[in-house]
Amino acid sequence: MNSQQLKNKIERQVKRIRKAERNHRQSLPSVGTLGLVMILPIIGAVYLGHWLDDKVEGYSTHWTISLLFAGLVIGIFNVYFLIKE
């Protein structure tokens, strides 16, 4: 391999690396969005379940646990549909 071929190969690799770095920086905010889209339904569902459990006489976590799983399912679907776009 002569020096010109080596130079061309290195230039192509540098361009590929720079392009990958730009794409990585652009995808970073979407990771935060994915976290919020997943966590907010879970937190909202647990809060609602806790509020409903407080309305029931005695110690009960029925609504909290049930809505926790419902919030988890909703969060997973939210992430799936966001990634699908």
Side-chain angles (χ1 to χ4, degrees), residues 4 7-8 13-15 22-24 28-30 34 37 39 41 43 46 58 60-62 65-66 78 81 85:
Q4 185 62 32
K7 182 181 175 186
N8 290 339
Q13 289 177 348
V14 167
K15 286 179 185 178
R22 279 195 308 270
N23 290 341
H24 179 68
L28 214 52
S30 65
L34 285 176
V37 165
I39 296 298
I43 291 173
V46 168
S60 173
T61 58
H62 173 74
I65 292 172
S66 298
N78 284 344
F81 288 124
E85 289 180 0

Side-chain angles (χ1 to χ4, degrees), residues 19-29:
K19 183 179 178 183
E21 286 176 349
R22 279 195 308 270
N23 290 341
H24 179 68
R25 277 188 247 123
Q26 291 173 351
S27 67
L28 214 52

